[in-house]
């Protein structure tokens, strides 16, 4: 597949598409501010961008896409903004996601969903069940997600298993720890993209990004395009990955 940039043509190697791409969708607020719109308008535009990018990942043959939609820290935002994001999420689960049915797309949620409203929890379960046999792109939405919180929950579960005799302390390996995480059966992301010029991990997938390649772009999330995704993949494909070896 080819894309154009600065009058040059670049080719993406379709045999080396990352299996798992993770995205920190940052910059919705700034996008809205630039247009003198309320922050929630930025999130709405961000949700539309997400729909496009899900479609493009599916077309490119990406197997897993994890997106950071709401962090454990995001509850500190104004009630109005939290409510607006939650309403978008309802819409996503009830409207946007239905459109993906024909595309063989699966939905999963990572994070501590117990703090989400009851109707949202039910809608998540319904979508997860309805799409569980789809074997195309799997979209993982991180909701009330924090990497440290995920590790705490995993350690608690493992400690309970040690208490009940189902796990022995000396049996704990990296694979065992990974099996207690929200991403238990999902390969680690090869590529992590963050938009809006910020270059931080912000408590996203702390365990899983140990060997990921990072790609930062100044584009604000609502302005992120299919072509920018292709540029990120091209950049990834032209890096040398050594995993600590030589
Ligand atoms: C970060 O931008 C974005 C968020 C905290 C929310 C992400 C939500 C969406 C992309 C849309 C909703 C999608 C679903 C599935 C609910 P920011 O608000 O921190 O932007 P800023 O740094 O410019 O203020």
């Amino acid at each position: 597949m080819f894309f154009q940039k600065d009058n040059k043509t670049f080719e993406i190697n379709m045999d080396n598409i990352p299996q798992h791409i993770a995205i920190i969708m940052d910059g919705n607020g700034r996008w809205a501010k630039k247009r003198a719109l309320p922050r929630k308008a930025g999130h709405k535009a961000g949700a539309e961008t997400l729909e496009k990018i899900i479609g493009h990942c599916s077309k490119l043959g990406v197997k897993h896409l994890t997106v950071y939609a709401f962090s454990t820290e995001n509850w500190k935002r104004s009630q109005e903004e939290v409510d607006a994001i939650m309403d978008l999420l309802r819409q996503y689960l009830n409207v946007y996601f239905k459109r993906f049915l024909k595309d063989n797309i699966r939905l999963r949620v990572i994070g501590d969903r117990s703090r989400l409203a009851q109707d949202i929890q039910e809608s998540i379960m319904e979508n997860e069940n309805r799409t569980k046999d789809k074997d195309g792109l799997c979209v993982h939405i991180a909701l009330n997600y924090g990497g440290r919180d995920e590790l705490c929950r995993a350690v608690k579960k493992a400690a309970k298993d040690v208490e009940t005799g189902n796990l022995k302390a000396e049996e704990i390996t990296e694979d065992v720890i990974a099996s207690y995480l929200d991403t238990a059966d999902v390969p680690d992301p090869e590529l992590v993209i963050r938009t809006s010029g910020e270059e931080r991990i912000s408590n996203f997938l702390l365990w899983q990004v140990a060997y990921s390649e990072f790609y930062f772009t100044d584009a604000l999330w609502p302005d992120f395009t299919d072509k920018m995704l292709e540029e990120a993949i091209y950049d990834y494909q032209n890096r040398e990955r050594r995993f600590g070896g030589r």
Side-chain angles (χ1 to χ4, degrees):
M1 182 179 275
F2 296 91
F3 71 92
Q4 303 275 334
K5 195 185 177 195
D6 304 331
N7 287 328
K8 287 194 205 112
T9 303
F10 297 88
E11 184 174 12
I12 290 187
N13 177 359
M14 295 304 284
D15 296 328
N16 185 23
I17 297 290
Q19 276 196 86
H20 185 173
I21 298 180
I23 307 184
I24 302 180
M25 310 180 288
D26 198 6
N28 295 346
R30 275 162 286 168
W31 183 93
K33 193 168 179 207
K34 267 170 64 181
R35 289 163 179 75
L37 293 168
R39 293 179 61 82
K40 66 179 181 190
H43 295 312
K44 183 162 189 299
E48 281 157 17
T49 298
L50 177 58
E51 187 183 12
K52 273 191 304 185
I53 295 301
I54 290 174
H56 205 49
C57 282
S58 170
K59 194 170 133 200
L60 290 171
V62 175
K63 297 303 286 177
H64 298 273
L65 171 69
T66 302
V67 291
Y68 208 3
F70 196 85
S71 75
T72 44
E73 288 73 36
N74 284 154
W75 297 106
K76 294 184 205 137
R77 298 194 175 195
S78 74
Q79 192 60 46
E80 191 192 349
E81 184 172 352
V82 171
D83 289 347
I85 297 177
M86 292 300 155
D87 277 345
L88 268 176
L89 178 59
R90 284 188 176 90
Q91 236 181 322
Y92 226 91
L93 294 166
N94 296 322
V95 183
Y96 286 64
F97 221 79
K98 301 250 160 35
R99 292 190 208 145
F100 294 131
L101 276 181
K102 62 179 187 325
D103 299 324
N104 200 23
I105 290 173
R106 179 174 178 193
L107 176 82
R108 289 173 70 178
V109 164
I110 59 167
D112 179 4
R113 60 182 79 178
S114 67
R115 197 173 160 186
L116 303 173
Q118 199 58 38
D119 69 301
I120 294 182
Q121 291 188 42
E122 281 163 16
S123 202
I124 290 170
M125 252 182 343
E126 194 249 313
N127 274 283
E128 285 180 332
N129 284 333
R130 190 161 43 79
T131 62
K132 69 178 188 313
D133 296 323
K134 306 278 179 190
D135 61 1
L137 172 69
C138 183
V139 179
H140 306 259
I141 303 191
L143 290 172
N144 190 26
Y145 177 86
R148 289 185 173 183
D149 179 68
E150 179 189 35
L151 284 161
C152 277
R153 288 185 285 107
V155 170
K156 271 186 206 151
K157 273 188 266 170
K160 281 214 175 88
D161 281 348
V162 171
E163 264 170 27
T164 55
N166 288 325
L167 178 68
K168 290 197 178 70
E170 56 276 19
E171 284 170 3
I172 297 176
T173 59
E174 291 187 11
D175 285 345
V176 170
I177 294 176
S179 75
Y180 280 92
L181 298 174
D182 297 346
T183 50
D185 47 358
V186 182
D188 290 340
E190 294 98 323
L191 173 64
V192 178
I193 299 172
R194 183 169 188 152
T195 57
S196 91
E198 309 290 343
E199 300 188 353
R200 291 186 293 279
I201 194 66
S202 299
N203 206 9
F204 189 43
L205 302 177
L206 295 181
W207 173 276
Q208 298 86 342
V209 298
Y211 290 103
S212 303
E213 297 292 330
F214 286 82
Y215 182 86
F216 300 107
T217 166
D218 286 338
L220 303 173
W221 175 250
D223 294 327
F224 192 75
T225 61
D226 292 356
K227 185 170 157 262
M228 291 178 193
L229 176 70
E230 290 170 12
E231 282 173 33
I233 293 174
Y234 177 83
D235 189 87
Y236 158 82
Q237 289 182 341
N238 288 281
R239 294 185 192 183
E240 195 187 339
R241 304 191 74 208
R242 288 199 296 261
F243 302 95
R246 292 195 60 212

